Amino acid sequence: MPAILAIESSCDETSAAVCVDGAILSNVIANQTIHEAYGGVVPELASRVHQQNIVPAVQQALFNAKVSKNDIDAVAFTRGPGLLGSLLVGVSFAKAFALARQIPLIEVNHMQAHILAHFIAEKKPAFPFICLTVSGGHTQIVLVKDYFDMEIIGQTLDDAAGEAMDKTSKILGLPYPGGPLIDKNARNGNPDAYQFPEPQIPGFDFSFSGLKTSILYFIRDNVAANPNFIQEHMNDICASVEKRIATILLNKLKRAAQQYGIKHVALAGGVSANTGLRNLLQQMGEQKGWEVFIPKFEYCTDNAAMIAIAGYHKYLKGEFIGQDVAPLARMPF
């Protein structure tokens, strides 16, 4: 029954979790509010706050799991991709902890971990399955053949879906982070109030830069005619933007599932917490006869529980890394 301590510090959440024999016993997430004043994540500030949060987060994770540091058999950590300074804090802590305890280190790819978060729950997808991974920095359609045998069959060519939402929120004058606020306003809006174009990109790849530009021009033109346009129509704008982003994602996902003949379809990443996307995927799943897998909200955003479950499956295979490991801002999938 291996006990694994997991560390996640790829962006602006400092997270620690404890996994024993594949069961998540704790998952502590320390969020950073300092970036709100700047309208986005400031890498240098993020790494400094990670330094402040890492020890308390690990202590709380061990306490919540009722596990002593002496009971830990291995340390799993996010090696990449992510902000280099932020990753460095987590990697350094993991290496120091493992060295002090003379236990193995397990490197984890952050994007693979988002997909493997589905194996935390009792209801797990069967291989092969297709996963739509949507976050602030990544948008991918992944064919998952086994725990660590994954193939990216489609990805964004420019902005990620999360970036499109955040940039839309800036255009609308909403504070950072904008994605949850678009979601909140959209719940009270008409998703068919305004029509935005769907990019025609070959294959299963995505592009959101053109959509972002069309939203910018739409707002500019309507505000020129009515200075109060945004305030008077905020809910409808958010609902329409949210629906267009979701349909762009799901139309590609639908084609991929049909081409590969797969009925198990999963959603992962921070944007998988979006209510409209979750609801539309459930509806599409019912229409297509899919079995749909969507993680709990706490496993959607960056968290150490997903690092822990990935680390657990690597532990079973004996896939460890040496003390000479360094973080990677760009990590091969």
Side-chain angles (χ1 to χ4, degrees), residues 80-120:
L83 301 176
L84 193 58
S86 294
L87 290 166
L88 187 60
V89 176
V91 173
S92 298
F93 183 92
K95 289 168 66 174
F97 190 102
L99 184 62
R101 297 288 310 127
Q102 290 296 295
I103 55 178
L105 278 167
I106 304 170
E107 66 171 5
V108 173
N109 182 299
H110 178 84
M111 297 310 297
Q112 290 185 345
H114 270 303
I115 295 171
L116 294 177
H118 289 284
F119 294 90
I120 297 173

Side-chain angles (χ1 to χ4, degrees), residues 252-265:
K252 294 280 188 176
L253 180 65
K254 176 175 65 176
R255 288 177 49 207
Q258 290 172 340
Q259 179 166 317
Y260 286 90
I262 288 177
K263 294 292 186 180
H264 280 209
V265 176

Side-chain angles (χ1 to χ4, degrees), residues 33-68:
T33 59
I34 193 170
H35 307 285
E36 293 175 1
Y38 301 93
V41 176
V42 181
E44 176 62 24
L45 294 178
S47 61
R48 292 182 185 182
V49 179
H50 280 304
Q51 293 178 56
Q52 298 169 6
N53 290 343
I54 186 74
V55 172
V58 170
Q59 288 179 325
Q60 192 65 48
L62 292 170
F63 178 81
N64 291 353
K66 297 180 173 60
V67 169
S68 164

Side-chain angles (χ1 to χ4, degrees), residues 2 19-24 119-120 124 308-309 312-313:
C19 169
V20 176
D21 200 29
I24 302 299
F119 294 90
I120 297 173
K124 301 174 176 63
I309 200 69
Y312 168 72
H313 287 286

Side-chain angles (χ1 to χ4, degrees), residues 2 14 52 55 60 98 106 108 115 119 172 189 234 250 281 293 324 333:
T14 313
Q52 298 169 6
V55 172
Q60 192 65 48
I106 304 170
V108 173
I115 295 171
F119 294 90
L172 296 176
M234 177 69 79
L250 295 181
L281 177 57
F293 299 85
D324 58 344
F333 196 81

Side-chain angles (χ1 to χ4, degrees), residues 91-158:
V91 173
S92 298
F93 183 92
K95 289 168 66 174
F97 190 102
L99 184 62
R101 297 288 310 127
Q102 290 296 295
I103 55 178
L105 278 167
I106 304 170
E107 66 171 5
V108 173
N109 182 299
H110 178 84
M111 297 310 297
Q112 290 185 345
H114 270 303
I115 295 171
L116 294 177
H118 289 284
F119 294 90
I120 297 173
E122 291 184 8
K123 181 186 175 184
K124 301 174 176 63
F127 300 116
F129 65 93
I130 284 182
C131 186
L132 172 64
T133 308
V134 196
S135 68
H138 298 82
T139 301
Q140 301 171 338
I141 298 178
V142 182
L143 177 61
V144 186
K145 305 168 189 175
D146 205 341
Y147 291 108
F148 300 101
D149 184 4
M150 305 181 189
E151 177 187 355
I152 298 174
I153 59 175
Q155 59 188 328
T156 184
L157 303 176
D158 40 59

Side-chain angles (χ1 to χ4, degrees), residues 3-320:
I4 296 172
L5 172 66
I7 307 295
E8 155 61 24
S9 67
S10 63
C11 190
D12 62 336
E13 281 99 0
T14 313
S15 184
V18 174
C19 169
V20 176
D21 200 29
I24 302 299
L25 301 188
S26 64
N27 184 37
V28 174
I29 303 172
N31 294 304
Q32 300 183 6
T33 59
I34 193 170
H35 307 285
E36 293 175 1
Y38 301 93
V41 176
V42 181
E44 176 62 24
L45 294 178
S47 61
R48 292 182 185 182
V49 179
H50 280 304
Q51 293 178 56
Q52 298 169 6
N53 290 343
I54 186 74
V55 172
V58 170
Q59 288 179 325
Q60 192 65 48
L62 292 170
F63 178 81
N64 291 353
K66 297 180 173 60
V67 169
S68 164
K69 64 179 183 295
N70 298 324
D71 298 324
I72 299 299
D73 296 303
V75 184
F77 63 94
T78 302
R79 186 181 183 187
L83 301 176
L84 193 58
S86 294
L87 290 166
L88 187 60
V89 176
V91 173
S92 298
F93 183 92
K95 289 168 66 174
F97 190 102
L99 184 62
R101 297 288 310 127
Q102 290 296 295
I103 55 178
L105 278 167
I106 304 170
E107 66 171 5
V108 173
N109 182 299
H110 178 84
M111 297 310 297
Q112 290 185 345
H114 270 303
I115 295 171
L116 294 177
H118 289 284
F119 294 90
I120 297 173
E122 291 184 8
K123 181 186 175 184
K124 301 174 176 63
F127 300 116
F129 65 93
I130 284 182
C131 186
L132 172 64
T133 308
V134 196
S135 68
H138 298 82
T139 301
Q140 301 171 338
I141 298 178
V142 182
L143 177 61
V144 186
K145 305 168 189 175
D146 205 341
Y147 291 108
F148 300 101
D149 184 4
M150 305 181 189
E151 177 187 355
I152 298 174
I153 59 175
Q155 59 188 328
T156 184
L157 303 176
D158 40 59
D159 288 351
E163 289 175 309
M165 285 193 178
D166 284 339
K167 290 175 181 177
T168 297
S169 72
K170 283 188 177 182
I171 295 170
L172 296 176
L174 296 172
Y176 175 87
L181 295 176
I182 287 181
D183 190 350
K184 180 180 178 180
N185 288 314
R187 303 286 64 79
N188 299 312
N190 174 11
D192 298 313
Y194 307 109
Q195 301 298 316
F196 297 103
E198 180 171 1
Q200 300 303 306
I201 307 299
F204 304 129
D205 289 333
F206 302 94
S207 171
F208 291 97
S209 60
L211 174 64
K212 179 192 66 179
T213 302
S214 70
I215 294 169
L216 175 65
Y217 290 163
F218 169 81
I219 296 298
R220 181 198 64 184
D221 295 344
N222 280 278
V223 168
N226 174 12
N228 297 318
F229 176 76
I230 294 177
Q231 292 77 10
E232 293 174 0
H233 302 280
M234 177 69 79
N235 292 341
D236 287 346
I237 297 169
C238 289
S240 299
V241 169
E242 180 186 84
K243 182 179 180 181
R244 172 46 74 205
I245 292 174
T247 53
I248 290 170
L249 295 168
L250 295 181
N251 286 341
K252 294 280 188 176
L253 180 65
K254 176 175 65 176
R255 288 177 49 207
Q258 290 172 340
Q259 179 166 317
Y260 286 90
I262 288 177
K263 294 292 186 180
H264 280 209
V265 176
L267 183 63
V271 182
S272 66
N274 179 268
T275 308
L277 179 59
R278 294 166 80 98
N279 291 342
L280 286 173
L281 177 57
Q282 292 282 17
Q283 294 172 17
M284 183 174 285
E286 293 174 3
Q287 295 169 0
K288 297 295 180 181
W290 297 342
E291 190 162 1
V292 173
F293 299 85
I294 302 176
K296 291 182 179 179
F297 284 107
E298 66 179 302
Y299 303 136
C300 291
T301 55
D302 295 346
N303 66 91
M306 68 184 192
I307 306 301
I309 200 69
Y312 168 72
H313 287 286
K314 281 200 165 188
Y315 184 95
L316 296 180
K317 298 175 68 176
E319 293 188 4
F320 306 126

